[in-house]
Amino acid sequence: MQPLANIAPLKPAGAIEVRNVGQVFKTTTQDVVALDNVSLDVKPGRFVVLVGPSGCGKSTLLMMMAGLRQQTSGTITISGAPIPEPDPNRVGVVFQEASLFPWLTAEENVEFPLALRGISKNDRRARAQEALKLVGLDGFGKRHPHELSGGMKQRVSIARGLVQDPPVLLMDEPFAALDEQTRMTMGDELLRIWAATGKTVVFVTHSLTEAVYLADEVIVMSPRPGRIVDHLQVPLPRPRTYEMLSGDAFGSLRDRIWRHIRKSA
Amino acid sequence: MQPLANIAPLKPAGAIEVRNVGQVFKTTTQDVVALDNVSLDVKPGRFVVLVGPSGCGKSTLLMMMAGLRQQTSGTITISGAPIPEPDPNRVGVVFQEASLFPWLTAEENVEFPLALRGISKNDRRARAQEALKLVGLDGFGKRHPHELSGGMKQRVSIARGLVQDPPVLLMDEPFAALDEQTRMTMGDELLRIWAATGKTVVFVTHSLTEAVYLADEVIVMSPRPGRIVDHLQVPLPRPRTYEMLSGDAFGSLRDRIWRHIRKSA
Amino acid sequence: MSAASVRRLIVIGLIALWEILPRMGFIPELFLPSLSSTLAAGWNEAGEYAHALAVTLYEVAISMAFACGGGILLGAVVGSLPRPRILIMPMVSSLYAVPLVILYPVFTVWLGIGSESKIAFASIYGFLPTMLATAAGIQTIDPQLLLAARSMGATLSQRLVRVIIPAAIPTVLSGLRVGGALVIVGVVVSEMLISSAGIGYLISRYRTILDSPHVFAGVLLVLAMAVAFNAAIKWIEGKAAIWQTGTRAGQSAEEIAPAALQPAT
Amino acid sequence: QAADTVRIGLPTKTYWPTTIAETAVRQKLFEKEGIAAELTIYRGGAETFEAMAAGAADVILDATSLVSAGRKKGVNSKVLANAAMGYYGWQLMTLSKSTLGVKDLNGKKVAITSAGSGSDLLALWTQQDKKIEFTRVPVGGGGLVPNLLAGNVDAAVVYSPLSFQISKSGEARTILDFSKEVPPNLAAGWIALDKYVQDKPHLVQKTLNALYGALMFMRANKDASVKLITELYEIPAEIAALEYENTIMKLETDGAMDGPKIPEQLQLALDMAKAGGMKDLGPASEIISTQFKPVLTKF
Amino acid sequence: MQSGLGVKAARVAIVVALFAIWEILSRTGIVNPRLLPSASDTLATLGDLLQRASVRKDLAVTATEVVTAFALAVPVGALIGFLIAENRYFAEVAKPLLFFAFSIPKSIFLPMFILVFGVGFSQKVGFGFFSTIFIVIMSTTTAVESVKVEHLTVARSYGATPMQTAFRVYLPSMLPVLLEALRISMIFNLTGVILAEMYASRDGIGHQIATWGENFQMKQLLAGVVMIAAIAIAFNELVRWVEARCSHWRT
Ligand SMILES: Nc1ncnc2c1ncn2[C@@H]1O[C@H](COP(=O)(O)OP(=O)(O)OP(=O)(O)O)[C@@H](O)[C@H]1O
Ligand SMILES: Nc1ncnc2c1ncn2[C@@H]1O[C@H](COP(=O)(O)OP(=O)(O)OP(=O)(O)O)[C@@H](O)[C@H]1O
Ligand SMILES: [Mg+2]
Ligand SMILES: [Mg+2]
């Protein structure tokens, strides 16, 4: 009866739209403008990397996309709808700090989001095992967080983010505490999963090499107040290889970002 | 009357001696050999960088050097004496996790170690201000940790380590959450302080470039159980410059470490 | 309507009921004399009540110092040292399980029937819960914070005063509340049981001769003490508010996003 | 068809009303009257009276002065049956090794259970009667003997059978026997709310029949009664015998409230209470009910 | 964990020592044995008492009341405490009033309970409930406030329902404080029920104890106190057992 509804342009799952978003924190001493008039469009299935100097508002932006914090002004839509509340069916988050539950084992931490959805014990365990294997923590499932090294905790946290399989994945410096080799392996793993599932990924990192290596698009931010200063497309072909790292195209993209960062830090 | 005592070889302040050190953790499921027979000599005033894949025991080794954890076997001496208890006059630590006191402002967090020693309010404040400036957090002194970004917290934690001014400084991935520009600036700052004060620094990082750039010596560890697999001298002249990064000597050192890491990760 | 005015309305409503219910004969005067006749009764014997109040306040003040001061301090010490905690805590909580009220008459044999026995009883009555609650609160402290303090050479007493107590401040405050309230209860109850002075004594004396207005005049004084005590706690909480920033107790409504403030059921 | 239940309130466990009520229960006297009785023991006289006022007890035994005080507090009840004309078994005691007499207590400390209670009345009466002044120290029922033994007080007003017990054990000795010294007054009676009397006079009547029947039974059966007291209060038989002789046997046997001397004796009780600090007591006449005359249940 | 045995031994040693001191004080007459019967006598009396059907029945009555009051007070108190900690508006309205109510001696209200409930099971349970609920509320509030914000954020981000948040985040992280609260609450609860029994009752162990006290039956009185203490201690141990099960992750 209402064919128009079907004709109207339908925002596909995974699109992110950020429109004139601002965020002001009230602190005891003064008001802090963390983000100022940020606009951004991420098409479904894109791998977008967010870079910018410490304190420029990357984490804040991610929290807003996840529905964990409300913007002071502007609008954000995920898959066509605003996100006033976190919605694990639309968005998954890997936090900057591992924030594991100390009373659960690594395994149980990874199972946590599945348990919330009432998935059966066996299923949960199997999927958690798989995710832990993916991050190289085979055999560490029974350990509690305080028995893990810093990098291991971060990897558990990544596994926890991956296991829930949402269309949009927000990752806040997930590889910061990892050594270069693990970091590369995990980056490749992530790209593989991304390519296979068609997820939209927003990824924060401080490593420019990592940024260019992983991204379809790199968004560069400047601090105080947080603004987008550049938005580059990375035209390198997929799958990415380590050889590309030493290529000219790669170098010039990296340099361009580097100049922004240097200026604003 | 006892001239001999003066003649006996005196371990100068800042020397670190690690002899056949092992660390075994008892967990609920099994015993974990985190470190196995690690020996290591750091001469006073050296800048030593520790690298190795995630979970190889770097943090554990640092904790033992700081007297925060006792080794299961072997001996460790700092400035010639064992360190059964943390001693801020001999060793200062910057932790992998920022571990700031949430009820104190950034400033007060930095002042904390000074307050413990009963240094006067004014003195403390002045030194804290200086340290905060050093890490680029001028004007953020009055904020509480939860009002700071991840990188900012880490920098407060670095400032807190610097302000104590001990002869030996142990730093566990202090720059992990920083953007490349800030990281470089802070690296240079650290080198400057180190050169001026003659401290011994043991520094953990996952960035091999950073490792070679900063170090007099790089120690490479392998995991399960944690062992030292290489100990390289970095013959690059001081002061280090960014041009060196692209030099051959730099590249080959970096590669040598890289090969170890790749093998063991 | 603001929370404070709702609260005020409730209080006014209760006061009005206190006057109306007995007046209308819904409750016999024996059980609840009207507020006005209570006040009149109290006023007629103002001198007697003033003297009793002085006695009770003196006992409360001394017991408060023992119960709250001692309870918090000892709770913090015992809670932060694993060995005494494991050994002592179960014994202490078992000790508290002995129903002291029953033994109180025998208690007076050794301590006499003067203030000493009230103070002893109320101190124990308030001390144990304060100590137990504080010690339990200490266990929720992030061990990393203690590690950091230790690394900076904090002595046991410094850790106690500068880390453990501030980190446990919500628990400590509630310990203070519970302990203080129990001290008031303990003093009044023991006076009611056996004594020849104090508000509790007046209450039970007038009750024995069915003089309910005078009984409730005494109760009113106890209520006044509770109000004063609450005001004092509020004042302390205000002072401690700065310490609480960063903990859940201290965060303003905007900090925790709105959803977290919804009642959970 | 279930019998009507009368809830009987008793001021303390070892006090003689408990013995009477228990006897009535065990001899099935309530049953014989066609009612059921539920006995509840309270902490003291005031608490028992409050329970009646609260509607938790129907017929209680209590001090007559409370009835008068209660009327001023909106609790309308009356004394239905005369139970005791004195303080049987109550004694002023000191440690046996002490040489103090009553007169020597001037300026000393005397333990009472609680201020305003029966023991307090007796202490005040002693002061007036013997023209001495001492400090009354309320120590609670459980504190009387311990504080006396510990020397915290010089003497104590002790109730029965505790008084017999410590006197027998040689720990304390009597220096004043209140059952002998205090002039007869209507100290205690069976009491009910006016409303209850109005609504269920037949139940009241039956209850009183059973209670006084029980007293009769006890008077007639010494051995059984002593045995019951021994059991109930876990005391030696010889103490129980003392309690029987000195308390039970002294109680009023007919419960009559219409005797010519009753108003006078009741007034005496109220006057003693006034001396004890009670205010607002009405005339004795307003709390006397002559409606019931126990017809002793046969055992 | 090897020290577990040593600790147990030390604990047993302390308990034995306490009983020994008690015995010696009484036997040597340092303390008048009439006022403090020896430990052995008390324990013998205790054994005697436990033989009696009436005492066992009294114990059963008290136990039922205690358990009922506890089972009512803890969930209700925890719920209110939770609301207070989580809902600012409710907190501001109720917190001062509740804290105020907590600092009033509850025994003042004993007659009111008789007025409302009469004498019997519900009056005793009611008073036990009333004595316990405030401490439960206050402890829960504190416990909730000790939960870390990050952990709540994580749970929210995974779309945890309030129930899930309550059981999967709040409960485990509050556990140490909560268990301590449970312990203290049980003691309040026990004391409340026993006070109500002492005040007015037909049965129950508190009723017995009051009588023994007023009759100067020190052996029975002490035995009764030991009995109640033993029950409370047994409960304590139960809580501690749960604690040991649940908090091995804490170092
Ligand atoms: N709760 C808060 N109250 C006040 N200011 C805040 C709060 N949270 C963040 N800020 C401020 O907002 C700015 C942006 O913070 P954010 O954490 O988003 O930075 P970031 O880009 O993630 O930095 P980093 O790379 O160091 O993690 C910072 O200046 C920070 O101090
Ligand atoms: N308390 C503990 N109990 C059991 N095992 C532990 C404990 N602490 C550390 N380990 C184990 O010891 C090993 C070394 O840990 P450590 O934290 O020293 O690694 P690391 O080199 O610092 O790693 P990262 O780079 O990830 O921080 C890891 O396998 C870890 O799981
Ligand atoms: Mg961030
Ligand atoms: Mg580490």
Side-chain angles (χ1 to χ4, degrees), chain D residues 32-173:
Chain D
K32 286 184 185 157
E33 290 288 335
I35 57 175
E38 190 181 69
L39 313 185
T40 306
I41 290 158
Y42 296 85
R43 287 293 316 271
E47 287 83 352
T48 314
F49 192 82
E50 277 176 346
M52 180 188 70
D58 302 324
V59 176
I60 65 170
L61 184 122
D62 221 327
T64 49
S65 53
L66 294 178
V67 180
S68 189
R71 282 200 98 78
K72 302 284 171 188
K73 302 280 175 314
V75 180
N76 295 319
S77 62
K78 288 204 180 67
V79 183
L80 314 172
N82 178 9
M85 279 297 202
Y87 290 86
Y88 307 116
W90 291 76
Q91 296 173 355
L92 184 61
M93 307 183 89
T94 62
L95 288 181
S96 335
K97 55 174 186 268
S98 148
T99 54
L100 293 176
V102 179
K103 288 280 181 194
D104 303 325
L105 289 179
N106 203 10
K108 295 277 179 0
K109 284 192 249 172
V110 174
I112 54 175
T113 54
S114 58
S117 66
S119 62
D120 197 13
L121 290 190
L122 292 175
L124 283 162
W125 177 85
T126 309
Q127 295 197 47
Q128 276 184 349
D129 196 58
K130 308 291 172 199
K131 312 260 171 335
I132 50 172
E133 285 283 330
F134 50 71
T135 316
R136 284 136 45 230
V137 187
V139 294
L144 282 178
V145 181
N147 278 296
L148 187 64
L149 291 184
N152 287 346
V153 293
D154 303 293
V157 179
V158 188
Y159 44 78
S160 75
L162 188 56
S163 49
F164 302 131
Q165 225 173 317
I166 54 172
S167 141
K168 195 81 197 162
S169 71
E171 283 161 313
R173 67 189 174 87

Side-chain angles (χ1 to χ4, degrees), chain D:
Chain D
Q1 157 224 351
D4 284 318
T5 300
V6 178
R7 294 165 302 166
I8 296 176
L10 305 161
T12 32
K13 169 104 177 213
T14 55
Y15 196 27
W16 51 262
T18 311
T19 322
I20 294 181
E22 284 284 356
T23 302
V25 170
R26 290 180 197 215
Q27 297 307 319
K28 307 203 185 317
L29 301 185
F30 292 112
E31 263 174 59
K32 286 184 185 157
E33 290 288 335
I35 57 175
E38 190 181 69
L39 313 185
T40 306
I41 290 158
Y42 296 85
R43 287 293 316 271
E47 287 83 352
T48 314
F49 192 82
E50 277 176 346
M52 180 188 70
D58 302 324
V59 176
I60 65 170
L61 184 122
D62 221 327
T64 49
S65 53
L66 294 178
V67 180
S68 189
R71 282 200 98 78
K72 302 284 171 188
K73 302 280 175 314
V75 180
N76 295 319
S77 62
K78 288 204 180 67
V79 183
L80 314 172
N82 178 9
M85 279 297 202
Y87 290 86
Y88 307 116
W90 291 76
Q91 296 173 355
L92 184 61
M93 307 183 89
T94 62
L95 288 181
S96 335
K97 55 174 186 268
S98 148
T99 54
L100 293 176
V102 179
K103 288 280 181 194
D104 303 325
L105 289 179
N106 203 10
K108 295 277 179 0
K109 284 192 249 172
V110 174
I112 54 175
T113 54
S114 58
S117 66
S119 62
D120 197 13
L121 290 190
L122 292 175
L124 283 162
W125 177 85
T126 309
Q127 295 197 47
Q128 276 184 349
D129 196 58
K130 308 291 172 199
K131 312 260 171 335
I132 50 172
E133 285 283 330
F134 50 71
T135 316
R136 284 136 45 230
V137 187
V139 294
L144 282 178
V145 181
N147 278 296
L148 187 64
L149 291 184
N152 287 346
V153 293
D154 303 293
V157 179
V158 188
Y159 44 78
S160 75
L162 188 56
S163 49
F164 302 131
Q165 225 173 317
I166 54 172
S167 141
K168 195 81 197 162
S169 71
E171 283 161 313
R173 67 189 174 87
T174 305
I175 55 172
L176 196 157
D177 188 342
F178 292 109
S179 53
K180 300 204 178 92
E181 303 256 346
V182 179
N185 67 86
L186 209 168
W190 293 99
I191 298 158
L193 288 176
D194 293 353
K195 189 165 179 315
Y196 190 76
V197 169
Q198 204 182 344
D199 292 349
K200 299 176 175 166
H202 56 289
L203 287 188
V204 175
Q205 181 67 53
K206 288 174 176 175
T207 307
L208 293 177
N209 293 349
L211 289 170
Y212 281 85
L215 183 57
M216 255 326 156
F217 173 86
M218 294 182 78
R219 293 181 72 93
N221 297 279
K222 176 170 177 179
D223 290 348
S225 305
V226 169
K227 187 158 168 284
L228 177 70
I229 297 173
T230 309
E231 262 174 39
L232 271 181
Y233 311 138
E234 300 174 38
I235 52 177
E238 45 180 340
I239 309 281
L242 284 173
E243 167 78 1
Y244 180 81
E245 289 299 339
N246 295 300
T247 307
I248 303 293
M249 290 304 282
K250 300 273 172 65
L251 298 173
E252 297 303 302
T253 51
D254 61 358
M257 287 300 287
D258 50 6
K261 283 189 157 171
I262 289 286
E264 192 188 316
Q265 286 162 331
L266 184 52
Q267 193 58 51
L268 201 58
L270 296 188
D271 290 345
M272 274 186 75
K274 262 183 214 157
M278 280 202 175
K279 281 165 264 177
D280 268 1
L281 295 184
S285 57
E286 76 181 20
I287 57 168
I288 296 177
S289 160
T290 51
Q291 190 178 345
F292 303 98
K293 176 118 185 60
V295 182
L296 310 192
T297 314
K298 293 224 169 52
F299 42 84

Side-chain angles (χ1 to χ4, degrees), chain E residues 1-10:
Chain E
M1 291 301 111
Q2 286 149 322
S3 65
L5 215 70
V7 168
K8 275 203 189 92

Side-chain angles (χ1 to χ4, degrees), chain A residues 59 96 172-173, chain B residues 150:
Chain A
S59 300
Q96 183 165 11
D172 199 351
E173 304 188 33

Side-chain angles (χ1 to χ4, degrees), chain E residues 69-96:
Chain E
F70 197 66
L72 290 172
V74 168
V76 174
L79 188 69
I80 297 176
F82 201 75
L83 289 183
I84 287 184
E86 283 300 295
N87 186 306
R88 212 155 275 271
Y89 186 77
F90 187 58
E92 272 181 29
V93 172
K95 217 173 175 179

Side-chain angles (χ1 to χ4, degrees), chain B residues 111-119, chain C residues 149 152-155 158-159 162:
Chain B
E111 286 174 32
F112 188 87
L114 304 177
L116 290 184
R117 295 190 214 167
I119 290 172
Chain C
M152 292 179 257
T155 61
Q158 284 176 324
R159 263 180 275 160
R162 289 177 180 272

